């Protein structure tokens, strides 16, 4: 087990370094950063001063090494637009994004797990077909379109919930539904597949032969084993949600990391953009690493690979 964890840790660190290198390179390949910071009406002299001021005149390898070393110490510099350090901005916005991601994942699990169980128990019935259709619709529907639909129905039409902002818990209801519905299909399908495998197992037939009730067999003996892969996948889905919150936070004007990323991209605030990309990547890689370790702990076959 220790060897497997060490190997997965090396892979995670390699992926993190690659993400940092790619995000740094793409910003520089997108054009002259000094000219973008100075603005379209800046003179050549002003652009040259900005290039020297932010160290953009140094070789790219030197810039990347300096930025990566500073990032390891949680020093991402200062924002060009907000006049605060990048870590101050991220510290202010991070709780909103984490709250949105946690609530969205909880809603996705509350819907996906029962649907997956019902679809497996009533296989090939209208319940199964309805659950699969719901999952397919959730995967095919763009989350920004679904978010706008929720606003039109529940905020503009029925006036039950606020349209934008994050002042109260009501402001998180619609964004959490829009983001959670995007993660629900994969969780539902995995739960259904796991339950179908478990219900055909010998120990389930033995439990039924002993006269145990259907509910007892499904919940205590079946779901407990079928839910394990879904729990591991939920960690990965949380990473996807944190990365995908840019669109949802922009639609609902939530002041989280997603909205900060959108504002920073539109204003050429490169230190903030690079920091957000790296931090979201760290969250995703850590969650994926934990999911791999959990799967290996529960399934010894994975450790032998």
């Amino acid at each position: 087990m220790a060897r497997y964890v060490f190997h997965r840790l090396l892979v995670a660190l390699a992926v993190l370094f690659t993400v940092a290198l790619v995000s740094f390179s793409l910003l520089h390949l997108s054009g002259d950063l000094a000219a973008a910071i100075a603005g379209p009406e800046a003179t050549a002299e002003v652009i040259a001063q900005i290039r020297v001021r932010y160290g953009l005149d140094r070789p790219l390898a030197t810039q990347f090494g300096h930025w990566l070393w500073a990032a390891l110490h949680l020093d991402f510099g200062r924002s060009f637009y907000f006049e605060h350090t990048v870590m101050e901005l991220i510290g202010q916005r991070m709780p909103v994004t984490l709250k949105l991601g946690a609530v969205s994942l909880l809603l996705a699990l509350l819907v996906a797990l029962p649907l997956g169980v019902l679809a497996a128990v009533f296989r090939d019935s209208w319940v199964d077909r309805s659950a699969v259709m719901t999952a397919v619709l959730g995967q095919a529907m763009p989350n920004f379109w679904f978010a706008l639909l929720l606003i039109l129905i529940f905020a503009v039409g029925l006036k039950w919930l606020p349209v934008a902002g994050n002042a109260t818990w009501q402001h998180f209801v619609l964004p959490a539904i829009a983001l959670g519905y995007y993660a629900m299909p994969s969780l539902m399908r995995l739960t259904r597949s796991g339950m179908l495998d478990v219900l055909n197992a010998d120990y389930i037939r033995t439990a039924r032969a002993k006269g145990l009730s259907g509910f007892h067999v499904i919940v205590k003996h079946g779901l407990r084993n079928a839910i394990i892969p879904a729990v591991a996948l939920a960690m990965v889905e949380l990473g996807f949600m944190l990365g995908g919150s840019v669109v949802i936070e922009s639609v609902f004007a939530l002041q989280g990391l997603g909205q900060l990323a959108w504002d920073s991209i539109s204003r050429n605030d490169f230190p903030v953009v690079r920091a957000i990309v790296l931090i979201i990547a760290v969250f995703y890689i850590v969650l994926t690493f934990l999911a791999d370790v959990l799967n290996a702990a529960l399934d010894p076959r994975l450790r032998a690979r």
Side-chain angles (χ1 to χ4, degrees):
M1 181 66 182
R3 180 180 179 182
Y4 177 85
V5 173
F6 179 72
H7 177 262
R8 298 307 299 175
L9 181 60
L10 290 180
V11 172
L13 292 176
V15 172
L16 182 59
F17 177 81
T18 303
V19 170
L21 179 60
V22 170
S23 62
F24 179 87
S25 302
L26 286 178
L27 285 177
H28 283 268
L29 292 175
S30 62
D32 190 346
L33 296 187
I37 296 169
E41 299 180 359
T43 63
E45 182 180 356
V46 172
I47 294 175
Q49 292 174 353
I50 290 177
R51 187 174 287 110
V52 173
R53 176 183 176 184
Y54 293 106
L56 299 174
D57 57 329
R58 295 178 293 179
L60 285 179
T62 303
Q63 294 183 47
F64 175 70
H66 181 268
W67 174 75
L68 187 61
W69 178 253
L72 291 175
H73 295 81
L74 300 181
D75 180 12
F76 297 100
R78 296 186 66 84
S79 167
F80 295 158
Y81 179 82
F82 295 99
E83 295 300 329
H84 291 282
T85 65
V86 176
M87 282 306 298
E88 287 177 350
L89 293 172
I90 291 176
Q92 294 169 3
R93 304 293 188 94
M94 180 72 77
V96 175
T97 298
L98 292 178
K99 186 187 298 182
L100 175 61
V103 175
S104 301
L105 181 61
L106 179 61
L107 289 177
L109 289 172
L110 290 176
V111 175
L113 298 184
L115 273 182
V117 173
L118 291 174
V121 173
F122 300 100
R123 183 179 183 180
D124 296 329
S125 67
W126 68 269
V127 176
D128 186 15
R129 289 191 292 270
S130 299
V132 173
M133 184 178 298
T134 302
V136 171
L137 184 63
Q139 195 165 32
M141 185 186 307
N143 57 0
F144 70 89
W145 187 87
F146 184 54
L148 294 174
L149 190 63
L150 291 175
I151 291 175
L152 288 175
I153 295 174
F154 295 102
V156 178
L158 298 176
K159 301 186 186 303
W160 288 354
L161 294 166
V163 176
N166 53 278
T168 64
W169 66 267
Q170 290 95 333
H171 289 84
F172 286 89
V173 174
L174 294 182
I177 293 174
L179 194 58
Y181 189 47
Y182 180 74
M184 183 270 295
S186 56
L187 293 170
M188 193 282 291
R189 288 199 308 271
L190 188 60
T191 304
R192 177 183 180 275
S193 176
M195 282 297 298
L196 288 175
D197 292 339
V198 168
L199 291 177
N200 293 323
D202 292 336
Y203 70 91
I204 293 294
R205 286 193 288 268
T206 302
R208 285 173 173 167
K210 290 180 179 179
L212 297 177
S213 65
F215 180 82
H216 187 82
V217 171
I218 292 171
V219 174
K220 185 174 181 180
H221 295 278
L223 183 60
R224 184 172 61 180
N225 294 291
I227 201 177
I228 291 173
V231 173
L233 177 63
M235 296 183 181
V236 180
E237 288 293 341
L238 180 57
F240 275 120
M241 288 179 176
L242 295 178
S245 64
V246 175
V247 175
I248 296 300
E249 289 185 9
S250 300
V251 172
F252 291 97
L254 290 175
Q255 298 302 309
L257 279 185
Q259 181 67 42
L260 178 62
W262 178 262
D263 293 338
S264 301
I265 292 171
S266 61
R267 291 159 177 163
N268 296 325
D269 202 344
F270 302 112
V272 179
V273 175
R274 285 189 298 205
I276 292 176
V277 170
L278 185 62
I279 288 174
I280 291 179
V282 168
F283 270 105
Y284 180 76
I285 291 170
V286 169
L287 291 170
T288 304
F289 171 75
L290 293 177
D292 289 341
V293 172
L294 178 60
N295 282 330
L298 298 173
D299 189 352
R301 294 173 298 179
L302 295 176
R303 304 174 215 165
R305 294 180 181 179

